[in-house]
Protein backbone atom coordinates (compact mmCIF):
# COMPACT_ATOMS: atom_id res chain seq x y z
CA UNK A 1 0.00 0.00 0.00
CA UNK A 2 1.27 3.41 -0.93
CA UNK A 3 0.82 6.28 1.52
CA UNK A 4 -0.87 9.07 -0.40
CA UNK A 5 -1.35 12.64 0.73
CA UNK A 6 -4.79 14.19 0.93
CA UNK A 7 -4.15 16.16 -2.26
CA UNK A 8 -3.12 13.01 -4.11
CA UNK A 9 -6.25 11.17 -2.97
CA UNK A 10 -8.39 14.14 -3.95
CA UNK A 11 -6.89 14.07 -7.45
CA UNK A 12 -7.56 10.33 -7.76
CA UNK A 13 -11.14 10.72 -6.55
CA UNK A 14 -11.73 13.45 -9.15
CA UNK A 15 -10.35 11.21 -11.90
CA UNK A 16 -12.49 8.28 -10.75
CA UNK A 17 -15.67 10.35 -10.78
CA UNK A 18 -16.54 9.39 -14.35
CA UNK A 19 -15.54 5.73 -14.04
CA UNK A 20 -18.04 2.91 -13.71
CA UNK A 21 -17.33 -0.03 -11.39
CA UNK A 22 -15.73 -2.96 -13.21
CA UNK A 23 -15.70 -5.40 -10.28
CA UNK A 24 -18.41 -6.43 -7.83
CA UNK A 25 -18.41 -8.30 -4.57
CA UNK A 26 -21.49 -10.40 -3.90
CA UNK A 27 -22.48 -13.14 -1.48
CA UNK A 28 -19.30 -15.07 -2.19
CA UNK A 29 -17.24 -12.20 -0.85
CA UNK A 30 -13.66 -11.44 -1.80
CA UNK A 31 -10.77 -13.90 -1.80
CA UNK A 32 -7.21 -14.15 -3.10
CA UNK A 33 -8.31 -15.13 -6.63
CA UNK A 34 -10.65 -12.12 -6.83
CA UNK A 35 -7.87 -9.88 -5.57
CA UNK A 36 -5.49 -11.27 -8.19
CA UNK A 37 -7.96 -10.30 -10.93
CA UNK A 38 -8.31 -6.81 -9.45
CA UNK A 39 -4.52 -6.43 -9.47
CA UNK A 40 -4.40 -7.50 -13.15
CA UNK A 41 -6.95 -4.81 -14.01
CA UNK A 42 -5.05 -2.21 -11.99
CA UNK A 43 -1.82 -3.09 -13.80
CA UNK A 44 -3.43 -1.84 -17.01
CA UNK A 45 -5.71 0.92 -15.68
CA UNK A 46 -4.10 2.18 -12.44
CA UNK A 47 -7.48 3.39 -11.15
CA UNK A 48 -10.70 1.38 -10.90
CA UNK A 49 -13.97 1.29 -9.01
CA UNK A 50 -15.36 -1.72 -7.18
CA UNK A 51 -18.88 -1.96 -5.80
CA UNK A 52 -20.56 -4.15 -3.22
CA UNK A 53 -23.77 -5.82 -4.28
CA UNK A 54 -26.81 -5.50 -2.07
CA UNK A 55 -26.69 -9.13 -0.89
CA UNK A 56 -23.03 -9.04 0.07
CA UNK A 57 -22.07 -10.01 3.61
CA UNK A 58 -19.08 -7.64 3.45
CA UNK A 59 -19.14 -3.99 4.42
CA UNK A 60 -17.22 -1.46 2.34
CA UNK A 61 -14.81 -0.84 5.22
CA UNK A 62 -14.18 -4.58 5.65
CA UNK A 63 -13.45 -4.92 1.94
CA UNK A 64 -11.10 -1.91 2.03
CA UNK A 65 -9.23 -3.40 4.99
CA UNK A 66 -8.95 -6.79 3.25
CA UNK A 67 -7.60 -5.22 0.05
CA UNK A 68 -5.01 -3.08 1.84
CA UNK A 69 -3.86 -5.91 4.14
CA UNK A 70 -3.53 -8.53 1.42
CA UNK A 71 -1.98 -6.44 -1.37
CA UNK A 72 -0.12 -3.28 -2.35
CA UNK A 73 -3.31 -1.67 -3.66
CA UNK A 74 -4.30 1.68 -2.14
CA UNK A 75 -7.95 2.41 -1.37
CA UNK A 76 -8.32 6.04 -2.39
CA UNK A 77 -11.98 6.36 -1.40
CA UNK A 78 -14.83 4.47 0.22
CA UNK A 79 -18.21 6.02 -0.38
CA UNK A 80 -21.37 4.07 0.24
CA UNK A 81 -20.88 0.67 -1.34
CA UNK A 82 -18.24 1.83 -3.83
CA UNK A 83 -14.46 1.76 -3.45
CA UNK A 84 -11.89 3.55 -5.59
CA UNK A 85 -8.68 1.54 -5.90
CA UNK A 86 -5.30 2.77 -7.09
CA UNK A 87 -1.99 1.12 -7.85
CA UNK A 88 0.73 2.62 -10.06
CA UNK A 89 1.39 0.67 -13.25
CA UNK A 90 4.80 -0.91 -13.69
CA UNK A 91 4.58 -1.08 -17.48
CA UNK A 92 5.34 2.33 -19.03
CA UNK A 93 2.64 2.05 -21.71
CA UNK A 94 -0.11 1.83 -19.05
CA UNK A 95 1.07 4.76 -16.93
CA UNK A 96 -1.64 7.41 -16.84
CA UNK A 97 -2.44 8.67 -13.35
CA UNK A 98 0.75 7.87 -11.45
CA UNK A 99 2.74 10.57 -13.27
CA UNK A 100 0.30 13.23 -12.04
CA UNK A 101 0.11 11.70 -8.55
CA UNK A 102 3.90 11.94 -8.23
CA UNK A 103 3.81 15.63 -9.20
CA UNK A 104 1.31 16.39 -6.42
CA UNK A 105 2.92 16.72 -2.99
Amino acid sequence: MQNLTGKQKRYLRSQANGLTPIFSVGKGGANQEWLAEVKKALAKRELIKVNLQQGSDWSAKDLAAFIEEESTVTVAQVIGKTLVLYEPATDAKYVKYSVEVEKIR
Side-chain angles (χ1 to χ4, degrees):
M1 181 181 96
Q2 185 179 1
N3 287 332
L4 298 175
T5 66
K7 287 182 180 181
Q8 289 170 324
K9 285 185 179 182
R10 194 166 39 248
Y11 168 76
L12 291 171
R13 288 194 305 261
S14 72
Q15 296 303 306
N17 193 27
L19 298 178
T20 56
I22 60 170
F23 283 96
S24 290
V25 176
K27 286 189 179 193
N31 55 30
Q32 290 298 331
E33 292 82 21
W34 177 85
L35 193 55
E37 292 299 317
V38 168
K39 285 188 64 70
K40 282 183 196 174
L42 280 166
K44 293 185 178 179
R45 298 174 189 235
E46 289 191 321
L47 190 66
I48 63 170
K49 279 187 178 178
V50 174
N51 74 344
L52 285 161
Q53 294 177 353
Q54 200 129 21
S56 176
D57 296 333
W58 288 63
S59 73
K61 291 187 184 217
D62 291 341
L63 182 59
F66 169 76
I67 290 169
E68 288 188 332
E69 287 171 10
E70 300 293 325
S71 69
T72 57
V73 175
T74 301
V75 178
Q77 181 180 31
V78 176
I79 186 163
K81 292 187 173 247
T82 304
L83 287 82
V84 175
L85 307 180
Y86 168 73
E87 186 173 45
T90 54
D91 192 345
K93 70 180 179 181
Y94 298 119
V95 171
K96 182 176 180 183
Y97 301 107
S98 55
V99 173
E100 291 299 319
V101 168
E102 287 302 313
K103 289 180 187 176
I104 302 169
R105 287 289 165 187

